[in-house]
Structure formats: C-alpha cells, structure tokens
C-alpha cells in the first residue's frame, strides 16, 4: 500500500508488463511463455488490483497493463460473478467501474480483440503498444491492428494512436 499511495499522491503513471514467465510453475518454453504466460500473469496483476482493493483504496492511480491487459478482459465476467456472490460483496457495476479506471495497450495481435477492450476499459483508455525491441519483425507495424479495428467499427478511435498515451502520462494539458 505505501507504494500505491505514493504513486497516487504523485500522479505517477504505472505500466505493468510481465517478466520471467519461466519462473512460474506451468508449461514452460514456447509458445506457452509468450503466448499464454504473459497474458495470464497480466490478468493476475489486473485481478489483484480490482479484487484486492488496490483501486478502491487508491482512487488516484493511473495504471496501464500490457498486451490488452492479458486475458483479463475475457475472464472479468467470471471473476465478477463469483466475487459478487459473497455477503457484503461489491456490486458488478462497481467492479466494472474499477476496471474502467485501468488502461490497456493495444498490442493484442488481432483487431477483433480491441472491441472487447473498448467495452471493458473505454476507447479513451487504450494505448498504442509496440513491445520494442523484442521480435522486431512482428512489431514493425503495430499501428495496423489499431487502424484495422477503427475501420472495422470496433469502437476504437484515433486516440489509441497517441492522444490517449499523453493523457495517461499526464502530458495532455502541456503546451
């Protein structure tokens, strides 16, 4: 909590990206570490922020999670279903509001996935992501996923190409 308190007090943007998937006990090597491990670790981080009370206790936090927040957008309804069944549990609406405070990058490899990110986080909370300098041949044109999603009418807008990042970083009001 002291870390989150300081980040909120200073309006420090936090970017969460998984590392060292080989240290977790599960299937190791590729394609598992890159294809599933990173997405699972990111979803675990997001669920700890939402369901662990971090976002409730520190409403001023600005937190972005890599790779579309991993598998979290897909598992959020299941998590909410179980979390709202306990006595004195938060409402699903409150949990949805907490999730909409998170930010996610658009590095998801598929324009169709971005529609769900808009639904969970809002179009204004989607960020351009590259994963530079890893796998340079795959990430030579990360704008394409965003522009394809815009053209397909997924709800993604031009803000994901740069303006949203300025807002996340607290630079949108500078001259």
């Amino acid at each position: 909590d002291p870390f989150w308190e300081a980040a909120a007090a200073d309006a420090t943007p936090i970017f969460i990206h998984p590392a060292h998937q080989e240290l977790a006990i599960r299937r190791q090597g590729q394609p598992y570490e890159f294809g599933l491990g990173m997405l699972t670790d990111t979803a675990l981080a997001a669920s700890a922020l939402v369901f662990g009370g971090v976002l409730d206790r520190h409403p001023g936090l600005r937190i972005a999670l890599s790779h579309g927040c991993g598998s979290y957008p897909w598992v959020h309804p299941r998590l909410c279903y179980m979390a709202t069944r306990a006595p004195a549990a938060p409402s699903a609406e409150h949990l949805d509001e907490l999730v909409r405070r998170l930010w996610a990058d658009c590095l998801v490899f598929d324009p169709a996935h971005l529609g769900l990110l808009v639904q969970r986080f809002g179009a204004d909370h989607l960020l351009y992501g590259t994963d530079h300098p890893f796998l340079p041949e795959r990430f030579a044109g990360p704008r394409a996923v965003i522009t394809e999603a815009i053209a397909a009418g997924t709800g993604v807008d031009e803000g994901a190409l740069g303006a949203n990042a300025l807002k996340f970083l607290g630079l949108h009001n500078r001259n």
Side-chain angles (χ1 to χ4, degrees), residues 120-154:
R120 295 283 182 254
F121 308 108
D124 63 332
H125 278 215
L126 300 185
L127 307 168
Y128 183 88
T130 67
D131 238 2
H132 181 78
F134 303 102
L135 304 170
E137 72 283 354
R138 176 63 179 109
F139 303 114
R143 294 175 57 96
V145 171
I146 297 171
T147 56
E148 288 176 39
I150 292 169
T154 61

CSV table of all heavy atoms in Angstrom, one decimal, residues 120-154:
chain,number,residue,atom,x,y,z
A,120,ARG,N,-14.5,-3.0,-22.0
A,120,ARG,CA,-14.0,-3.2,-20.6
A,120,ARG,C,-13.5,-1.8,-20.1
A,120,ARG,O,-13.7,-1.5,-19.0
A,120,ARG,CB,-13.0,-4.2,-20.5
A,120,ARG,CG,-13.5,-5.6,-20.8
A,120,ARG,CD,-14.3,-6.2,-19.6
A,120,ARG,NE,-14.7,-7.6,-19.9
A,120,ARG,CZ,-15.9,-7.9,-20.3
A,120,ARG,NH1,-16.9,-7.0,-20.3
A,120,ARG,NH2,-16.2,-9.1,-20.6
A,121,PHE,N,-12.6,-1.2,-20.9
A,121,PHE,CA,-11.8,-0.1,-20.4
A,121,PHE,C,-12.3,1.3,-20.9
A,121,PHE,O,-11.9,2.3,-20.3
A,121,PHE,CB,-10.3,-0.3,-20.8
A,121,PHE,CG,-9.8,-1.6,-20.3
A,121,PHE,CD1,-9.5,-2.6,-21.2
A,121,PHE,CD2,-9.6,-1.9,-19.0
A,121,PHE,CE1,-9.0,-3.8,-20.8
A,121,PHE,CE2,-9.1,-3.1,-18.6
A,121,PHE,CZ,-8.8,-4.1,-19.5
A,122,GLY,N,-12.9,1.3,-22.1
A,122,GLY,CA,-13.3,2.5,-22.7
A,122,GLY,C,-12.3,2.9,-23.8
A,122,GLY,O,-11.1,2.6,-23.6
A,123,ALA,N,-12.7,3.4,-24.9
A,123,ALA,CA,-11.8,3.8,-26.0
A,123,ALA,C,-10.8,4.7,-25.6
A,123,ALA,O,-9.7,4.7,-26.1
A,123,ALA,CB,-12.6,4.3,-27.2
A,124,ASP,N,-11.1,5.6,-24.6
A,124,ASP,CA,-10.1,6.6,-24.1
A,124,ASP,C,-9.1,6.0,-23.2
A,124,ASP,O,-8.1,6.8,-22.8
A,124,ASP,CB,-10.9,7.7,-23.5
A,124,ASP,CG,-11.6,7.3,-22.2
A,124,ASP,OD1,-12.0,6.1,-22.1
A,124,ASP,OD2,-11.8,8.1,-21.3
A,125,HIS,N,-9.1,4.8,-22.9
A,125,HIS,CA,-8.1,4.1,-22.1
A,125,HIS,C,-7.3,3.1,-22.8
A,125,HIS,O,-6.7,2.2,-22.2
A,125,HIS,CB,-8.8,3.5,-20.8
A,125,HIS,CG,-9.0,4.5,-19.8
A,125,HIS,ND1,-8.9,4.2,-18.4
A,125,HIS,CD2,-9.3,5.8,-19.8
A,125,HIS,CE1,-9.1,5.3,-17.7
A,125,HIS,NE2,-9.4,6.3,-18.5
A,126,LEU,N,-7.3,3.1,-24.1
A,126,LEU,CA,-6.5,2.2,-24.9
A,126,LEU,C,-5.3,3.0,-25.4
A,126,LEU,O,-5.3,4.1,-25.9
A,126,LEU,CB,-7.3,1.7,-26.1
A,126,LEU,CG,-8.5,0.9,-25.8
A,126,LEU,CD1,-9.2,0.3,-27.0
A,126,LEU,CD2,-8.3,-0.2,-24.7
A,127,LEU,N,-4.1,2.3,-25.3
A,127,LEU,CA,-2.8,2.9,-25.7
A,127,LEU,C,-2.1,2.1,-26.8
A,127,LEU,O,-2.2,0.9,-26.9
A,127,LEU,CB,-1.9,2.9,-24.4
A,127,LEU,CG,-2.5,3.5,-23.2
A,127,LEU,CD1,-1.6,3.1,-22.0
A,127,LEU,CD2,-2.6,5.0,-23.3
A,128,TYR,N,-1.4,2.8,-27.6
A,128,TYR,CA,-0.5,2.2,-28.6
A,128,TYR,C,0.6,1.4,-27.9
A,128,TYR,O,1.1,1.9,-26.9
A,128,TYR,CB,0.1,3.4,-29.4
A,128,TYR,CG,0.9,3.0,-30.6
A,128,TYR,CD1,0.4,2.8,-31.8
A,128,TYR,CD2,2.3,2.9,-30.4
A,128,TYR,CE1,1.2,2.4,-32.9
A,128,TYR,CE2,3.1,2.6,-31.5
A,128,TYR,CZ,2.5,2.4,-32.7
A,128,TYR,OH,3.3,2.0,-33.8
A,129,GLY,N,0.9,0.2,-28.3
A,129,GLY,CA,1.9,-0.6,-27.7
A,129,GLY,C,2.8,-1.2,-28.8
A,129,GLY,O,2.3,-1.6,-29.8
A,130,THR,N,4.1,-1.4,-28.5
A,130,THR,CA,4.9,-2.0,-29.5
A,130,THR,C,5.7,-3.2,-29.1
A,130,THR,O,6.1,-4.0,-29.9
A,130,THR,CB,6.0,-0.9,-30.0
A,130,THR,OG1,6.9,-0.6,-29.0
A,130,THR,CG2,5.3,0.3,-30.6
A,131,ASP,N,6.1,-3.3,-27.8
A,131,ASP,CA,7.0,-4.3,-27.3
A,131,ASP,C,8.4,-4.2,-27.9
A,131,ASP,O,9.1,-5.1,-27.9
A,131,ASP,CB,6.4,-5.7,-27.5
A,131,ASP,CG,6.3,-6.4,-26.2
A,131,ASP,OD1,6.6,-5.9,-25.1
A,131,ASP,OD2,5.9,-7.6,-26.2
A,132,HIS,N,8.7,-3.0,-28.4
A,132,HIS,CA,10.0,-2.7,-28.9
A,132,HIS,C,11.1,-2.9,-27.8
A,132,HIS,O,10.9,-2.5,-26.7
A,132,HIS,CB,10.1,-1.3,-29.4
A,132,HIS,CG,11.4,-0.9,-30.1
A,132,HIS,ND1,11.7,-1.3,-31.3
A,132,HIS,CD2,12.4,-0.2,-29.6
A,132,HIS,CE1,13.0,-0.9,-31.6
A,132,HIS,NE2,13.4,-0.2,-30.5
A,133,PRO,N,12.2,-3.5,-28.1
A,133,PRO,CA,12.8,-4.0,-29.3
A,133,PRO,C,12.6,-5.5,-29.5
A,133,PRO,O,13.3,-6.1,-30.4
A,133,PRO,CB,14.3,-3.7,-29.1
A,133,PRO,CG,14.5,-4.0,-27.7
A,133,PRO,CD,13.2,-3.5,-27.0
A,134,PHE,N,11.7,-6.2,-28.9
A,134,PHE,CA,11.6,-7.6,-29.0
A,134,PHE,C,10.8,-7.9,-30.3
A,134,PHE,O,9.9,-7.2,-30.6
A,134,PHE,CB,10.9,-8.2,-27.8
A,134,PHE,CG,11.6,-7.9,-26.5
A,134,PHE,CD1,11.1,-6.8,-25.7
A,134,PHE,CD2,12.7,-8.5,-26.1
A,134,PHE,CE1,11.8,-6.5,-24.5
A,134,PHE,CE2,13.4,-8.2,-25.0
A,134,PHE,CZ,13.0,-7.2,-24.2
A,135,LEU,N,11.2,-9.0,-30.9
A,135,LEU,CA,10.5,-9.5,-32.1
A,135,LEU,C,10.3,-8.4,-33.1
A,135,LEU,O,9.1,-8.1,-33.5
A,135,LEU,CB,9.2,-10.2,-31.7
A,135,LEU,CG,9.3,-11.4,-30.7
A,135,LEU,CD1,7.9,-11.8,-30.3
A,135,LEU,CD2,10.1,-12.5,-31.3
A,136,PRO,N,11.3,-7.7,-33.5
A,136,PRO,CA,11.1,-6.5,-34.4
A,136,PRO,C,10.4,-6.8,-35.7
A,136,PRO,O,9.6,-6.0,-36.2
A,136,PRO,CB,12.5,-6.1,-34.7
A,136,PRO,CG,13.4,-7.2,-34.3
A,136,PRO,CD,12.7,-8.0,-33.3
A,137,GLU,N,10.5,-8.0,-36.2
A,137,GLU,CA,9.8,-8.3,-37.5
A,137,GLU,C,8.3,-8.4,-37.3
A,137,GLU,O,7.5,-8.0,-38.1
A,137,GLU,CB,10.3,-9.7,-38.1
A,137,GLU,CG,9.8,-10.9,-37.4
A,137,GLU,CD,10.6,-11.2,-36.1
A,137,GLU,OE1,11.6,-10.5,-35.7
A,137,GLU,OE2,10.2,-12.2,-35.4
A,138,ARG,N,7.8,-8.8,-36.1
A,138,ARG,CA,6.4,-8.8,-35.8
A,138,ARG,C,5.8,-7.5,-35.5
A,138,ARG,O,4.6,-7.2,-35.7
A,138,ARG,CB,6.1,-9.8,-34.7
A,138,ARG,CG,4.7,-9.9,-34.2
A,138,ARG,CD,3.8,-10.5,-35.4
A,138,ARG,NE,2.4,-10.6,-34.9
A,138,ARG,CZ,1.5,-9.8,-35.4
A,138,ARG,NH1,1.7,-8.8,-36.2
A,138,ARG,NH2,0.2,-9.9,-34.9
A,139,PHE,N,6.6,-6.6,-34.9
A,139,PHE,CA,6.1,-5.4,-34.4
A,139,PHE,C,6.5,-4.2,-35.3
A,139,PHE,O,6.5,-3.0,-34.8
A,139,PHE,CB,6.5,-5.1,-33.0
A,139,PHE,CG,6.1,-6.3,-32.1
A,139,PHE,CD1,7.0,-7.1,-31.5
A,139,PHE,CD2,4.8,-6.5,-31.8
A,139,PHE,CE1,6.6,-8.1,-30.7
A,139,PHE,CE2,4.3,-7.5,-31.0
A,139,PHE,CZ,5.2,-8.3,-30.4
A,140,ALA,N,6.9,-4.4,-36.5
A,140,ALA,CA,7.3,-3.4,-37.4
A,140,ALA,C,6.1,-2.4,-37.7
A,140,ALA,O,6.3,-1.2,-37.9
A,140,ALA,CB,7.8,-4.0,-38.7
A,141,GLY,N,4.9,-2.9,-37.6
A,141,GLY,CA,3.8,-2.0,-37.9
A,141,GLY,C,2.6,-2.2,-37.0
A,141,GLY,O,1.5,-2.6,-37.3
A,142,PRO,N,2.8,-1.9,-35.7
A,142,PRO,CA,1.8,-2.2,-34.7
A,142,PRO,C,0.6,-1.3,-34.9
A,142,PRO,O,-0.5,-1.6,-34.4
A,142,PRO,CB,2.4,-1.9,-33.3
A,142,PRO,CG,3.6,-1.1,-33.6
A,142,PRO,CD,4.1,-1.5,-35.0
A,143,ARG,N,0.7,-0.2,-35.6
A,143,ARG,CA,-0.4,0.7,-35.9
A,143,ARG,C,-1.5,0.0,-36.7
A,143,ARG,O,-2.7,0.3,-36.6
A,143,ARG,CB,0.0,1.9,-36.7
A,143,ARG,CG,0.9,2.8,-36.0
A,143,ARG,CD,1.4,4.0,-36.9
A,143,ARG,NE,0.3,4.7,-37.5
A,143,ARG,CZ,-0.2,5.9,-37.0
A,143,ARG,NH1,0.4,6.4,-35.9
A,143,ARG,NH2,-1.2,6.5,-37.5
A,144,ALA,N,-1.1,-1.0,-37.5
A,144,ALA,CA,-2.1,-1.7,-38.3
A,144,ALA,C,-3.2,-2.3,-37.6
A,144,ALA,O,-4.4,-2.3,-38.0
A,144,ALA,CB,-1.4,-2.8,-39.2
A,145,VAL,N,-3.0,-3.0,-36.4
A,145,VAL,CA,-4.1,-3.6,-35.6
A,145,VAL,C,-5.0,-2.5,-35.2
A,145,VAL,O,-6.3,-2.7,-35.3
A,145,VAL,CB,-3.5,-4.3,-34.4
A,145,VAL,CG1,-4.6,-4.8,-33.5
A,145,VAL,CG2,-2.7,-5.5,-34.9
A,146,ILE,N,-4.5,-1.3,-34.8
A,146,ILE,CA,-5.4,-0.3,-34.4
A,146,ILE,C,-6.2,0.3,-35.5
A,146,ILE,O,-7.4,0.5,-35.4
A,146,ILE,CB,-4.6,0.9,-33.6
A,146,ILE,CG1,-4.0,0.3,-32.4
A,146,ILE,CG2,-5.5,2.0,-33.3
A,146,ILE,CD1,-3.0,1.2,-31.7
A,147,THR,N,-5.5,0.6,-36.6
A,147,THR,CA,-6.2,1.2,-37.8
A,147,THR,C,-7.3,0.2,-38.4
A,147,THR,O,-8.3,0.6,-38.8
A,147,THR,CB,-5.3,1.7,-38.9
A,147,THR,OG1,-4.4,0.6,-39.3
A,147,THR,CG2,-4.4,2.8,-38.3
A,148,GLU,N,-6.9,-1.1,-38.4
A,148,GLU,CA,-7.9,-2.1,-38.8
A,148,GLU,C,-9.1,-2.1,-37.9
A,148,GLU,O,-10.3,-2.3,-38.3
A,148,GLU,CB,-7.3,-3.5,-38.9
A,148,GLU,CG,-6.3,-3.6,-40.1
A,148,GLU,CD,-5.6,-5.0,-40.0
A,148,GLU,OE1,-6.3,-6.0,-39.7
A,148,GLU,OE2,-4.4,-5.0,-40.4
A,149,ALA,N,-8.9,-2.0,-36.6
A,149,ALA,CA,-10.0,-2.0,-35.6
A,149,ALA,C,-10.9,-0.8,-35.8
A,149,ALA,O,-12.1,-0.9,-35.7
A,149,ALA,CB,-9.5,-2.1,-34.2
A,150,ILE,N,-10.3,0.3,-36.0
A,150,ILE,CA,-11.0,1.6,-36.3
A,150,ILE,C,-11.9,1.4,-37.5
A,150,ILE,O,-13.1,1.7,-37.5
A,150,ILE,CB,-10.1,2.8,-36.4
A,150,ILE,CG1,-9.4,3.1,-35.1
A,150,ILE,CG2,-10.9,4.0,-36.9
A,150,ILE,CD1,-8.3,4.1,-35.2
A,151,ALA,N,-11.3,0.9,-38.6
A,151,ALA,CA,-12.0,0.7,-39.9
A,151,ALA,C,-13.2,-0.3,-39.7
A,151,ALA,O,-14.2,-0.2,-40.4
A,151,ALA,CB,-11.1,0.3,-41.0
A,152,ALA,N,-13.0,-1.3,-38.8
A,152,ALA,CA,-14.0,-2.3,-38.7
A,152,ALA,C,-15.1,-1.9,-37.7
A,152,ALA,O,-16.1,-2.6,-37.6
A,152,ALA,CB,-13.3,-3.6,-38.1
A,153,GLY,N,-15.0,-0.7,-37.2
A,153,GLY,CA,-16.1,-0.2,-36.3
A,153,GLY,C,-16.2,-0.8,-35.0
A,153,GLY,O,-17.3,-1.0,-34.4
A,154,THR,N,-15.0,-1.2,-34.4
A,154,THR,CA,-15.0,-1.9,-33.1
A,154,THR,C,-15.2,-0.9,-31.9
A,154,THR,O,-15.3,-1.4,-30.8
A,154,THR,CB,-13.6,-2.6,-32.9
A,154,THR,OG1,-12.6,-1.6,-33.0
A,154,THR,CG2,-13.4,-3.7,-33.9
